[in-house]
Each structure stands twice: as structure tokens, then as C-alpha cells.
């Protein structure tokens, strides 16, 4: 299915006790960064966050990533997209590969549902099979307040879109070239998900900042990149979690 459609869903990957900790972590991050929209809690906050590193290192997630990128695995980036009730911003149609400093573009995204993700709350929508058409250009779109501020520079046939309806703990996996996006959240419920971008350690992060803020070696051979050291938990400074 992944080869033909560009996405696949795994159910009940993460247990609800950990999902509750993830919820608390999102709230803790928002309290620490009140000037940052909750859709923008991205990788720059990750390198000094032991819980975040613990979460993206979870064997249940890395085992899924290994199916797609092989046994030598690093984290490239991770990002909470938490859409608040009534005002959560849309993500306009795009392809991830258009944005990322990776060579070659061998990478897989795991989208971990923290909340119920439905059409009403602005779930991810994908165009099945669109990953086979190459990467299109991007254009700015300032007409709509959106998470990226950009959109794909080609027409998208929205009648082909499939909604990724997920429960907390479910994981949706997608190809870097698939055309996807999400609508605004106008419902009374929050819609939070964590995107996690795993690369084989043979893929080079070409950004001039090295080590990249969210580059962590997770499994197997370290490969071609330099990595961040794992942050040590300091009580009172970091988010407290089981096993910290």
C-alpha cells in the first residue's frame, strides 16, 4: 500500500499512559513558549528536551521507521502541530520534500496522533499516489493564515483526497513526496499530532547548521551526519516524565 498510495496507518502503536504524558508535554511547552502558536512547536525546541528525545526514540516508533528506511536510523526533525479549538490554522497542500535539506531525499514521516484526528478537527488529508509524480514547486499564499504560509504551485484535485482519521496513539506514515495538507480546526476540540521525520544515516542533512538542532542518532551505524548529544534530565528545568 505504501508503494502504491504513499501512506499507511498503524493502529494503537503508543499506549494511553504515554499519550497522557505527551498531552502534558504539549501543555508544558505551550506554557514555556506563550508567544509561539501551538501549531509551531517545532524542532528548535527539541535538543534540550529529554522527554521529546525519549518519545521519538521509542522502539515502537523506530521499529516502524526501520521498515521504511532500514536499520541505521537518525532523527532529522520533529514538530508538534497542535491546532487549538475554533482557531487551529490549516496546512495548505504541499509536499514535504520541497522544504527539506536532505540528500538524497530518503526520509519517512511518522504522524503520531495525540488527540482524535477527524475531518471536523482538521485531520491530515492526502492525495493517494501523488508521491509518484515528482516534486512540484511551491508558492507563497498570504491570503489564508496557515501553518506554512506556502502551498504547492499546481492545482490539486481535492475530490481525490482521503482523510486520515486517527485515534490517540495511532500513527500515519507518509512518503516525502505525497501531496497532503489539512483544513482549519473550527471544532470545539483540540487536534494535536506529532510529526517525526526519520532518515537512514546514509542521508546527509545539508543545512549549514551542523549538527542540525534536531539531528539525533537513534539506531545502527551513525553514518554521514554529526548529531546532537542526548540531553540529560534536570529536575525543575525539564518536563518531568516516567523514568526521567
Amino acid at each position: 500500500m505504501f508503494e502504491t498510495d504513499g501512506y499507511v496507518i498503524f493502529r494503537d502503536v503508543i499506549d494511553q499512559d504515554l499519550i497522557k504524558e505527551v498531552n502534558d508535554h504539549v501543555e508544558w511547552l505551550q506554557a514555556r513558549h506563550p508567544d509561539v502558536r501551538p501549531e509551531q512547536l517545532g524542532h528548535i525546541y527539541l535538543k534540550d528536551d529529554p522527554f521529546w528525545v525519549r518519545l521519538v526514540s521509542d522502539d515502537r516508533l523506530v521499529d516502524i521507521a526501520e521498515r521504511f528506511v532500514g536499520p541505521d536510523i537518525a532523527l532529522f526533525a520533529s514538530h508538534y502541530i497542535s491546532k487549538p479549538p475554533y482557531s487551529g490554522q490549516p496546512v495548505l497542500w504541499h509536499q514535504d520534500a520541497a522544504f527539506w535539506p536532505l540528500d538524497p531525499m530518503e526520509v519517512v514521516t511518522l504522524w503520531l496522533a495525540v488527540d482524535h484526528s477527524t475531518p471536523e478537527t482538521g485531520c491530515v488529508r492526502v492525495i493517494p499516489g501523488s508521491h509518484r509524480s515528482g516534486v512540484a514547486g511551491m508558492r507563497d499564499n498570504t491570503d489564508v493564515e496557515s501553518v506554512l504560509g506556502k502551498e504547492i504551485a499546481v492545482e490539486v484535485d481535492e475530490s481525490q483526497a482521503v482523510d486520515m482519521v486517527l485515534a490517540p496513539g495511532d500513527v500515519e506514515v507518509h512518503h516525502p513526496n505525497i501531496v497532503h495538507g489539512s483544513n482549519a480546526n473550527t471544532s470545539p476540540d483540540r487536534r494535536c499530532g506529532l510529526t517525526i521525520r526519520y532518515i537512514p544515516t546514509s542521508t546527509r542533512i545539508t543545512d549549514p547548521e551542523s549538527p542540525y538542532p534536531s539531528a539525533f542518532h537513534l539506531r545502527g551505524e551513525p553514518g554521514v551526519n554529526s548529531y546532537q548529544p542526548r540531553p540529560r534530565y534536570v529536575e525543575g528545568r525539564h518536563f518531568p516524565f516516567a523514568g526521567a
Side-chain angles (χ1 to χ4, degrees):
M1 179 164 177
F2 188 83
E3 285 75 20
T4 55
D5 293 344
Y7 74 94
V8 66
I9 293 172
F10 295 82
R11 302 288 182 191
D12 296 318
V13 175
I14 297 298
D15 62 275
Q16 294 310 301
D17 287 345
L18 182 52
I19 289 294
K20 183 184 183 306
E21 284 194 313
V22 178
N23 265 294
D24 294 342
H25 183 231
V26 172
E27 293 179 6
W28 180 84
L29 280 170
Q30 287 184 219
R32 289 198 80 181
H33 305 286
D35 52 333
V36 177
R37 276 202 64 99
E39 298 97 340
Q40 300 288 352
L41 292 168
H43 67 265
I44 58 170
Y45 306 111
L46 188 154
K47 68 179 175 183
D48 186 35
D49 194 315
F51 175 75
W52 204 331
V53 176
R54 175 258 177 272
L55 180 58
V56 300
S57 305
D58 191 287
D59 281 336
R60 291 167 290 187
L61 298 171
V62 181
D63 285 350
I64 291 174
E66 184 168 332
R67 298 187 189 198
F68 299 92
V69 300
D72 305 315
I73 304 171
L75 180 75
F76 162 56
S78 181
H79 190 131
Y80 283 112
I81 303 178
S82 182
K83 296 186 182 184
Y86 301 116
S87 62
Q89 292 180 344
V91 180
L92 305 181
W93 293 112
H94 68 286
Q95 294 165 294
D96 293 336
F99 293 95
W100 289 345
L102 297 175
D103 182 32
M105 189 55 65
E106 291 180 14
V107 53
V108 70
T109 293
L110 273 62
W111 200 101
L112 170 64
V114 182
D115 300 327
H116 285 278
S117 190
T118 65
E120 293 72 34
T121 60
C123 65
V124 174
R125 311 174 76 211
V126 305
I127 306 296
S130 56
H131 65 297
R132 301 198 303 269
S133 302
V135 181
M138 298 293 295
R139 62 189 173 212
D140 293 333
N141 183 332
T142 53
D143 300 337
V144 182
E145 287 275 319
S146 72
V147 174
L148 299 174
K150 294 178 182 290
E151 65 182 356
I152 196 167
V154 295
E155 287 305 307
V156 175
D157 181 1
E158 297 200 18
S159 71
Q160 301 297 310
V162 176
D163 292 318
M164 299 292 102
V165 177
L166 305 172
D170 290 349
V171 170
E172 180 266 342
V173 181
H174 60 253
H175 190 282
N177 292 6
I178 197 169
V179 176
H180 65 293
S182 60
N183 292 326
N185 180 14
T186 56
S187 83
D189 301 310
R190 188 188 73 174
R191 192 235 67 176
C192 181
L194 177 69
T195 65
I196 316 168
R197 330 298 195 166
Y198 296 102
I199 56 175
T201 59
S202 54
T203 286
R204 190 178 300 279
I205 301 172
T206 59
D207 190 271
E209 185 176 353
S210 183
Y212 197 65
S214 52
F216 288 88
H217 178 226
L218 301 180
R219 184 177 287 181
E221 294 297 319
V224 298
N225 297 297
S226 55
Y227 300 106
Q228 295 290 344
R230 293 196 173 220
R232 291 178 64 88
Y233 176 76
V234 179
E235 192 172 347
R237 175 179 169 188
H238 294 128
F239 173 74
F241 59 99

